[in-house]
Amino acid sequence: MLLDAPRPGVDLLGSAHRIAALARHNLTLRLRDPGQMISYVAMPMVLMLVLRPLYVRALDTGATQVATGLMVMFSVFAISLAGNAILSERTWRTWDRLRVSRAPAAELLIGKTLPLFVVMVTQQSILLVYGCLAIGLPVPPNPLVVFMSIVIWAFALLAIGAALATIVRSHGELSVISDVGALTLSSLGGALVPLSLMPAWAQAVAPASPGYWALTMMQSAVAGNVAGTLRPAAVLLAIGVLAGAFAARRLARGWGRGGLM
C-alpha cells in the first residue's frame, strides 16, 4: 500500500540523525586520545624546518617540494586512524551491535569516518598555512582549489583505511600495512624525492601509487594550475569511491563482524 511506503524526507532525517549520533560518539573517542593527531601535525612541521635548506639548495621549487611532500606523506599515515576507528569496534566486540541497528553499512562508515575527515582536512590546512608562513611556500592564488584538493585526498585516504579495516584481523596487522604502505606509497609518489630524480623503474610504477596523484594534485593546486589539478583529483575520487564501496560491501555481508577476529 502507498501508506506503507517509506517517506523520503523522514528516511533522510533518520539517516542524518543516525550518522550524527555515530559521529558525535567517535569525535568524543578521538578527543580523548589526541596523541596521533598531534604527532601527525607536529612531526611534519619539524621536518619541514630541518629539510627546507637542503631542498631549497637542490631544487628551484624546493619549498613547494618539501611542504607538499611532507603534507602528503604524513596524511597517508592517517590511514591507520580510519582503520582503527572500525577495527576498535571489532576488538571491543561492539561492531555486531552496530550492524543489527537500523543504520546500514554506508551510514556506519560515514558516521565512523566523518570526525576523522574533519581532522584530516584540518591537519592538511594547518600544514599548508605553516608552509606559507615558515617554509616559504608560495601563497596559493586560488585557495578554493587547494581546499577542494585537500577534501578529495582526505576522502580517498579514509576510504582506503576503511577498506583495510575490513580485511585485517588485528591492530598490529593494520599498523604494519599502514606504516609500510604510507612510506612506500608516498616515496614512490615523489614525496621525498622529486620524480625526475628517481630511478627509471620508480618513475614507471609511480602512477600506481595514490601518493603520486595526491602530490601532483597538491602541487598543481598550490601553483594555481586548475587544469593540472582535475585529472589527479578524478583519479583519487575514483579510488575513494571504489575503496568505500568495497568496505561497505564487506561490512554489509558480515565480513567485519567481531567473530572473525
Side-chain angles (χ1 to χ4, degrees):
M1 295 177 61
L2 291 177
L3 293 176
D4 295 328
R7 290 176 291 175
V10 175
D11 286 350
L12 187 60
L13 288 175
S15 177
H17 177 74
R18 291 189 292 270
I19 291 173
L22 285 166
R24 284 195 301 270
H25 172 69
N26 286 278
L27 178 61
T28 301
L29 293 177
R30 270 297 122 206
L31 293 176
R32 287 178 178 175
D33 187 17
Q36 276 186 304
M37 296 184 293
I38 294 173
S39 66
Y40 291 154
V41 174
M43 285 194 293
M45 284 182 172
V46 174
L47 287 175
M48 283 183 193
L49 284 176
V50 172
L51 297 177
R52 179 187 178 277
L54 174 63
Y55 278 81
V56 169
R57 290 180 183 178
L59 302 167
D60 293 335
T61 58
T64 300
Q65 175 65 36
V66 69
T68 56
L70 290 174
M71 280 173 60
V72 169
M73 169 171 281
F74 280 88
S75 62
V76 178
F77 279 112
I79 285 178
S80 62
L81 294 177
N84 280 318
I86 295 173
L87 197 59
S88 294
E89 298 283 358
R90 293 170 60 191
T91 55
W92 295 337
R93 297 293 191 261
T94 53
W95 188 253
D96 290 339
R97 299 178 189 177
L98 292 175
R99 289 184 62 247
V100 298
S101 68
R102 297 183 61 184
E107 289 182 7
L108 294 178
L109 283 177
I110 295 172
K112 294 293 291 183
T113 57
L114 188 58
L116 296 175
F117 177 79
V118 175
V119 166
M120 291 183 65
V121 170
T122 302
Q123 175 219 29
Q124 294 286 283
S125 300
I126 291 173
L127 292 178
L128 180 69
V129 173
Y130 177 80
C132 294
L133 295 177
I135 307 301
L137 179 70
V139 177
N142 195 335
L144 181 60
V145 175
V146 178
F147 180 74
M148 290 179 62
S149 300
I150 290 174
V151 167
I152 291 170
W153 180 224
F155 164 71
L157 286 177
L158 289 177
I160 293 171
L164 279 177
T166 66
I167 298 173
V168 299
R169 292 176 176 268
S170 69
H171 290 277
E173 215 175 295
L174 176 63
S175 178
V176 169
I177 293 174
S178 60
D179 290 350
V180 174
L183 287 173
T184 303
L185 294 179
S186 56
S187 298
L188 283 178
L192 290 177
V193 180
L195 202 61
S196 59
L197 301 180
M198 294 173 66
W201 65 267
Q203 296 183 32
V205 301
S209 166
Y212 166 83
W213 298 105
L215 190 62
T216 302
M217 179 179 65
M218 290 295 181
Q219 291 181 346
S220 297
V222 168
N225 183 0
V226 178
T229 306
L230 293 178
R231 184 171 178 236
V235 172
L236 291 172
L237 274 175
I239 292 174
V241 169
L242 290 174
F246 173 82
R249 179 174 173 79
R250 292 274 295 183
L251 294 175
R253 294 176 65 90
W255 277 305
R257 64 181 184 270
L260 292 180
M261 295 295 292

